[in-house]
Amino acid sequence: MFKFLKDKLSNWAKKIAKAEEKREAKKEPEKIEKAKTKIEQKDKEKPVKEEKIKKPEKTIEKRLEEADEKEKQEAEEEKQGFFARLKSKFTKIKISENEFDIYANELEELLLENNVAFEVAEKIISGLKQEIVGKELLKKEIEGEIKDVFKEIIRKILIEPFDVAEKIKEKNQKEKTPYVIVFFGINGTGKTTTIAKVTEFLKKQNLSCVLAAADTFRAASIEQLQKHGERLGVKVIANSYGSDPASVGFDAVAYAKRHYINAVLIDTAGRMHTAKDLLREMEKIVRVTKPDLKVFIGESITGNDAVEQAKSFNWSVGIDGIILTKADIDEKGGTALSVGYVIKKPILYLGTGQEYNAIEPFSKEKFIERLGL
Ligand SMILES: Nc1nc2c(ncn2[C@@H]2O[C@H](COP(=O)(O)OP(=O)(O)OP(=O)(O)O)[C@@H](O)[C@H]2O)c(=O)[nH]1
Ligand SMILES: [Mg+2]
């Protein structure tokens, strides 16, 4: 999972550290040459100076000998001082803005290639620039320093998820009514499968569910949910194909109230985020069932498309949280990094396979760990 982004980010940090090392190493011979020339210059000048301060009681030969000795000593000291200075400079590195910009272009490209949304890539780069440019860094720590800055930026970009089970318990206790969750998304993203997984996940925490087959549009959708209901041992409220999805949702909420069920999970038909009629239908489901949680289901592998869908669903009905499915087959990872930031809503779960237990609550730290930072 997220392997590409992991490798790319790590390589980039390594590369910038290596390049800086080479750049400093290249300067070393130049500096030595300069120092040598300076010493030679002094060699030429010194005997003339010595002439001026010669004392009459010494022979010329003696004075020249002494001067030579002194010159040698000075040169030696100067050399040592130079190397000492060079050494301390060599171990500390400052990256200039120009240099950073060269690496930044490359970083932007690799982020975009790995499904990171443009505005998120920009945020990462400006954050890195602010923290790295002009700062004196120890050569051996450069890679680690870049990774630490990356980590901090990603921590800020990702939104802290809330615990759905806790929210359900809170509402049940306070209002003595079921917690209603409705799932939206385009066709085939994994809505129905995710509902089954969430049901199983909540069951494990002793929370009961009723499912609403409010996708009355796609052939076999009702039977698909009923099959999950049978396997999971939960009630499915359904009507006929073509019936009003909002009324199916309403019936399910009423059933849950009568039977003291903790949560209602409403399945809806897949709809393109550009289909106006279907978006209006979605608004009606929300008006009638008054959900506590409106979840956008997007595919982790689709990158910018998922971001655009999330924006559109958020604009129509107001999304409260995101579930990204198919993270198990996503080698890039940029969607998970971007989608929440763009609509300012948290990712609640990642779908990690086709089985009922292939779901995990989203964790910022686990995500950062997966990126190898
Ligand atoms: N690998 C993988 N496959 C998944 C995941 N979630 C769902 N799927 C698969 O995605 C396919 C579509 O799943 P559905 O649950 O029918 O999708 P949907 O959004 O309800 O589809 P429509 O109702 O037609 O819009 C199925 O084959 C699922 O098994 C996941 O996390 N990982
Ligand atoms: Mg479905």
Side-chain angles (χ1 to χ4, degrees):
M1 202 188 287
F2 311 148
K3 187 178 170 301
F4 289 173
L5 196 53
K6 176 187 167 195
D7 293 349
K8 290 276 163 62
L9 290 184
S10 184
N11 285 344
W12 187 84
K14 264 198 190 95
K15 195 171 168 183
I16 198 166
K18 278 255 166 62
E20 285 308 306
E21 243 174 66
K22 272 192 200 153
R23 182 172 69 96
E24 284 299 314
K26 230 170 118 188
K27 281 184 187 165
E28 188 183 8
E30 274 173 34
K31 286 178 183 170
I32 294 169
E33 253 338 289
K34 262 191 197 162
K36 268 191 190 164
T37 324
K38 213 173 144 197
I39 292 162
E40 279 166 14
Q41 192 81 22
K42 273 196 171 175
D43 274 347
K44 281 181 200 158
E45 286 168 6
K46 278 280 164 78
V48 181
K49 272 189 204 163
E50 291 296 330
E51 284 282 334
K52 285 181 193 165
I53 55 157
K54 69 183 174 191
K55 289 174 185 158
E57 62 270 21
K58 282 185 184 169
T59 64
I60 292 171
E61 284 90 337
K62 179 76 182 158
R63 272 184 280 117
L64 280 177
E65 242 174 55
E66 281 174 4
D68 268 356
E69 198 54 40
K70 206 173 166 215
E71 273 297 306
K72 261 189 210 160
Q73 256 179 22
E74 271 182 17
E76 210 47 54
E77 276 165 18
E78 180 139 2
K79 251 193 205 167
Q80 274 174 5
F82 169 70
F83 279 114
R85 285 203 308 277
L86 179 68
K87 209 174 149 215
S88 81
K89 272 198 178 161
F90 196 43
T91 48
K92 281 196 176 159
I93 284 166
K94 241 188 214 176
I95 297 171
S96 74
E97 191 170 348
N98 280 350
E99 284 160 341
F100 181 84
D101 286 344
I102 296 168
Y103 300 118
N105 283 341
E106 202 181 311
L107 177 63
E108 182 163 33
E109 244 170 64
L110 79 85
L111 289 172
L112 296 178
E113 271 168 19
N114 283 286
N115 280 344
V116 177
F118 184 72
E119 57 198 283
V120 177
E122 294 280 288
K123 172 138 180 104
I124 292 175
I125 289 165
S126 68
L128 272 172
K129 189 169 186 169
Q130 203 178 337
E131 288 300 318
I132 286 174
V133 168
K135 195 171 162 188
E136 209 158 62
L137 300 167
L138 278 180
K139 185 190 73 184
K140 63 176 176 13
E141 288 171 358
I142 240 182
E143 192 185 330
E145 184 85 20
I146 291 171
K147 285 187 171 180
D148 283 348
V149 176
F150 254 127
K151 255 195 252 180
E152 257 328 290
I153 296 172
I154 290 174
R155 252 184 219 118
K156 281 185 197 148
I157 286 174
L158 295 172
I159 296 174
E160 196 64 56
F162 49 84
D163 184 333
V164 178
E166 280 308 312
K167 292 267 178 203
I168 295 173
K169 288 176 199 164
E170 260 172 48
K171 188 185 180 201
N172 292 165
Q173 269 171 13
K174 256 195 215 157
E175 300 179 29
K176 311 282 177 236
T177 51
Y179 189 87
V180 180
I181 312 175
V182 60
F183 298 76
F184 295 118
I186 72 155
N187 313 68
T189 53
K191 295 176 292 299
T192 310
T193 311
T194 302
I195 287 173
K197 291 181 190 178
V198 173
T199 304
E200 171 82 349
F201 187 82
L202 295 177
K203 255 178 69 180
K204 282 185 193 154
Q205 299 184 61
N206 294 321
L207 292 168
S208 55
C209 299
V210 58
L211 312 185
D215 177 0
T216 59
F217 179 73
R218 182 175 63 74
S221 64
I222 298 175
E223 289 79 1
Q224 186 189 359
L225 193 70
Q226 279 169 333
K227 223 178 223 168
H228 285 308
E230 269 166 41
R231 277 195 221 139
L232 294 160
V234 298
K235 175 84 177 166
V236 176
I237 302 295
N239 202 329
S240 54
Y241 286 100
S243 63
D244 182 2
S247 83
V248 179
F250 184 83
D251 289 349
V253 176
Y255 180 91
K257 279 182 183 164
R258 280 199 306 278
H259 294 85
Y260 305 103
I261 288 173
N262 300 114
V264 181
L265 276 54
I266 304 175
D267 191 18
T268 65
R271 63 200 75 222
M272 286 309 290
H273 52 299
T274 44
K276 286 203 177 96
D277 283 356
L278 292 176
L279 292 181
R280 264 200 291 279
E281 182 190 81
M282 189 170 76
E283 286 158 16
K284 187 177 173 192
I285 298 173
V286 169
R287 260 198 327 274
V288 172
T289 61
K290 299 185 179 56
D292 300 285
L293 185 61
K294 289 161 280 178
V295 178
F296 165 72
I297 307 278
E299 286 176 316
S300 188
I301 37 180
T302 47
N304 223 36
D305 283 350
V307 173
E308 288 306 315
Q309 293 157 20
K311 271 192 204 167
S312 187
F313 280 98
N314 191 39
W315 185 79
S316 311
V317 286
I319 292 301
D320 303 304
I322 300 157
I323 298 181
L324 279 189
T325 61
K326 312 186 187 181
D328 52 310
I329 48 171
D330 177 17
E331 295 295 4
K332 295 187 170 176
T335 313
L337 189 54
S338 312
V339 68
Y341 177 80
V342 172
I343 66 163
K344 304 281 175 268
K345 297 292 153 55
I347 297 175
L348 302 172
Y349 297 100
L350 287 181
T352 56
Q354 308 209 30
E355 304 303 316
Y356 286 153
N357 62 2
I359 186 166
E360 60 175 58
F362 185 75
S363 146
K364 284 168 70 159
E365 291 310 313
K366 201 164 179 184
F367 181 80
I368 289 168
E369 208 177 285
R370 277 186 174 132
L371 292 184
L373 293 172

